[in-house]
Amino acid sequence: MTTPAPGGGPSEAELPFFVYGTLLPGEPNHDLFLRGRTTGERPAVLPRALLYEGPGYPYAIQGHGRVHGTLLVAAPGIYGELLGLLDHLEEFLGPGHPRNLYERVVREVELPGPDGGSVRAWVYLAATAVTRSLRTGGVLIPGGRWTTGRTPGGS
């Protein structure tokens, strides 16, 4: 179930973030926005989602697939700063705002491996208008793994 944060503010617990595009380790926005601001990063999978090509970055939408990415935990004391930076990067202006590029929502993310399980995390999914456009004419990324010159299979 997708749940927007009430008011887009800090009323939700300090949840980790699931990233799947330019914020992945090795991608340009990882160092710009995340270096020194996280204490943990591990591979993760977003179930019930599809990944589409965008103009230099991908979009995830709800669907019958899986999106591969990384789960990030904010460093102590900078959660609000990191949340604000990511909201700005993803052009999230507040729940349901007509100019949103993405909506920040809470989703269950799966953690692969023997100590796996699932965890609730913030995920930036394509906003409604973008999702409509992708469903009618977007380019689906097979396998749900976005890469830009990195070896496929890397996270």
Side-chain angles (χ1 to χ4, degrees), residues 10-140:
S11 58
E12 284 282 338
E14 291 189 3
L15 297 173
F17 299 88
F18 174 79
V19 300
Y20 54 84
T22 65
L23 289 164
L24 288 168
E27 293 295 336
N29 283 335
H30 182 274
D31 283 350
L32 286 172
F33 290 89
L34 301 175
R35 178 167 283 182
R37 293 185 175 105
T38 64
T39 58
E41 299 181 1
R42 67 182 284 186
V45 176
L46 177 63
R48 297 173 308 284
L50 298 170
L51 197 61
Y52 281 85
E53 289 286 346
Y57 47 85
Y59 292 104
I61 68 170
Q62 292 189 100
H64 299 292
R66 296 166 63 79
V67 173
H68 298 267
T70 299
L71 187 71
L72 310 167
V73 176
I78 63 127
Y79 187 84
E81 173 191 347
L82 183 58
L83 185 66
L85 284 169
L86 296 180
D87 282 354
H88 179 72
L89 173 67
E90 306 294 3
E91 297 183 40
F92 172 70
L93 303 173
H97 193 287
R99 292 188 326 211
N100 281 349
L101 187 60
Y102 292 89
E103 289 285 341
R104 176 171 34 92
V105 298
V106 177
R107 292 283 301 268
E108 287 289 324
V109 175
E110 297 172 354
L111 303 171
D115 61 336
S118 67
V119 63
R120 290 168 41 94
W122 287 122
V123 179
Y124 291 89
L125 296 179
T128 303
V130 175
T131 297
R132 269 195 303 271
S133 176
L134 291 170
R135 287 190 189 278
T136 60
V139 177
L140 185 65

